[in-house]
Amino acid sequence: MNAGSAFRSRILINCSNLKIGGGIQVAHSFIDKLSEFNEYYFIVVVSDNLKLEFDNSNLPNNIKYINYNVKASIINAIFGVNYFLDKVLRDEKISAVFSVFGPTYWRPKVFHLAGYAIPHYVYTDSPFFKNITTYFKYKLKIMKLFHLFDFKYNNSSIVTENIDVTKRLKNILVNKEIYTVSNYYNQVFDNPEQWDRTIYVPEFMGFTLLTISANYPHKNLLIIKKVVQKLKIEYPEFQFRFILTINESEFLNESDKDIKDNILCIGKIAINQCPALYDKCNAVFLPTLLECFSATYPEAMRMRKPILTSNLNFAFELCGDAAIYFNPLNVDEIAHKIYQVAYDNDLKVRVVKNGIKQLMMFNDYTVRAKKYIQIVTNNIN
């Protein structure tokens, strides 16, 4: 495809390093808005997992997709050389690059904006670090060394999703220009005709808690097993279940027979399947120990669901009065809060109303896209 000379600039959107989790959601939402910036030509490099989220049959005339998966390596982080992406840069005459999230393992010879979403390096006071092995602590230290080197030397500027993360990151990457553009829910939530309602979830007369998350250690999902056991003991009459978007084989085992009926693992879901899943729950449960931003928060607010989440700084910053908080490592407290929310209708109504107000504190998907593009285009030559 020849873009001709009608476009003001040619911008490369780099998503070659995205595999699972919130990065896929953000990239999908942002890329979906690129057709509205028709004065620019976008070359979008998508990973295999992100490619699955798009229909390439009817592309706008200002977008070109290239499929490529970057290989993370210490050598690439240090030297910033990627022959494939460097060739795309030359062939497509790129003026600037936006890597939706880093580390990118690449140092392009044009302005390069990269998103930052690794909470481990800015929230070092998280209780997460008290419960990990010595081996994992050393592994994180090594990863931190090379990742922060990548962010410092392979990118012109950085953008975070949370003002608190920006403040903390500025103390680590001194003299680096760091912007803040908040996350939001994907625009599919505002278009019910696009919702995929095919996921089968058995009818249930009790209280359903939904956790949309990959099974990363910092998501603290294993606490759910202990919470289920506590609820069954303390409140034997309470009918409840958790729905998790992970495979049963990676979460439940033979020793979990007594709690298996209370946990439904449905596996990985697509972005357009999320809204219908929210419709099937009574509350959203997120016991995470580390986040820069979780799209679960604005998604739950949009879908009018009460949020139960960790009483940590990032959650307070993002949810304000729109959540019920608990100590994410205190099983007794979590069980009590769940039971309380299930039967306190006034509390649920109040939290949902606060969530509607809290949504206005975020950049919506259109404003977010405009801010990303503005940062990039303001720094072209």
Side-chain angles (χ1 to χ4, degrees), residues 135-364:
Y135 167 77
F136 193 47
K137 285 180 181 178
Y138 280 113
K139 182 180 177 181
L140 275 176
K141 284 183 179 180
I142 294 171
M143 290 170 61
K144 179 178 181 178
L145 178 68
F146 288 102
H147 285 172
L148 291 182
F149 181 94
D150 186 287
F151 278 107
K152 184 174 182 178
Y153 294 105
N154 291 342
N155 309 285
S156 310
S157 298
I158 295 170
V159 58
T160 82
E161 303 170 296
N162 182 336
I163 189 64
D164 188 52
V165 173
T166 295
K167 292 175 183 176
R168 291 168 180 254
L169 196 58
K170 282 183 176 180
N171 292 327
I172 301 172
L173 301 178
V174 181
N175 299 324
K176 197 75 174 177
E177 186 160 27
I178 304 175
Y179 302 89
T180 306
V181 179
S182 77
N183 197 351
Y184 202 60
Y185 60 78
N186 190 286
Q187 47 267 43
V188 73
F189 280 81
D190 289 333
N191 296 281
E193 71 280 1
Q194 298 177 12
W195 297 3
D196 180 346
R197 306 172 190 270
T198 58
I199 294 180
Y200 174 69
V201 176
E203 292 295 326
F204 185 67
M205 297 303 294
F207 193 73
T208 296
L209 297 114
L210 174 65
T211 302
I212 295 181
S213 172
N215 194 20
Y216 295 122
H218 67 274
K219 294 294 187 177
N220 192 33
L221 299 186
L222 286 176
I223 199 74
I224 293 173
K225 293 185 179 184
K226 297 178 181 179
V227 171
V228 170
Q229 292 169 338
K230 175 60 67 171
L231 284 169
K232 289 171 76 72
I233 293 170
E234 294 294 322
Y235 310 104
E237 82 291 351
F238 182 38
Q239 299 296 310
F240 69 93
R241 70 175 173 182
F242 288 85
I243 297 179
L244 308 181
T245 56
I246 58 178
N247 294 322
E248 184 174 305
S249 60
E250 65 178 302
F251 192 71
L252 298 174
N253 50 52
E254 287 298 318
S255 63
D256 296 321
K257 289 180 180 179
D258 60 329
I259 63 173
K260 205 168 184 180
D261 290 341
N262 299 94
I263 299 175
L264 176 63
C265 296
I266 62 173
K268 182 183 175 182
I269 62 172
I271 293 168
N272 65 340
Q273 293 174 318
C274 290
L277 202 55
Y278 278 98
D279 269 348
K280 298 178 185 295
C281 79
N282 301 105
V284 169
F285 182 72
L286 198 63
T288 178
L289 301 176
L290 283 168
E291 296 290 341
C292 286
F293 195 110
S294 174
T296 293
Y297 294 140
E299 287 171 2
M301 295 170 192
R302 166 64 180 82
M303 297 302 291
R304 311 296 194 258
K305 301 297 178 180
I307 300 167
L308 291 114
T309 194
S310 310
N311 61 352
L312 299 175
N313 285 344
F314 59 81
F316 288 127
E317 177 76 25
L318 297 171
C319 296
D321 295 327
I324 298 99
Y325 299 99
F326 52 74
N327 179 337
L329 300 180
N330 189 320
V331 174
D332 291 345
E333 183 181 340
I334 297 172
H336 172 71
K337 290 293 179 71
I338 289 173
Y339 188 78
Q340 179 187 15
V341 172
Y343 289 101
D344 189 339
N345 192 59
D346 289 340
L347 175 60
K348 284 184 283 192
V349 170
R350 183 168 68 252
V351 169
V352 168
K353 284 185 177 179
N354 289 339
I356 297 170
K357 295 177 183 177
Q358 188 69 12
L359 267 179
M360 294 186 288
M361 303 297 292
F362 305 131
N363 299 306
D364 68 24

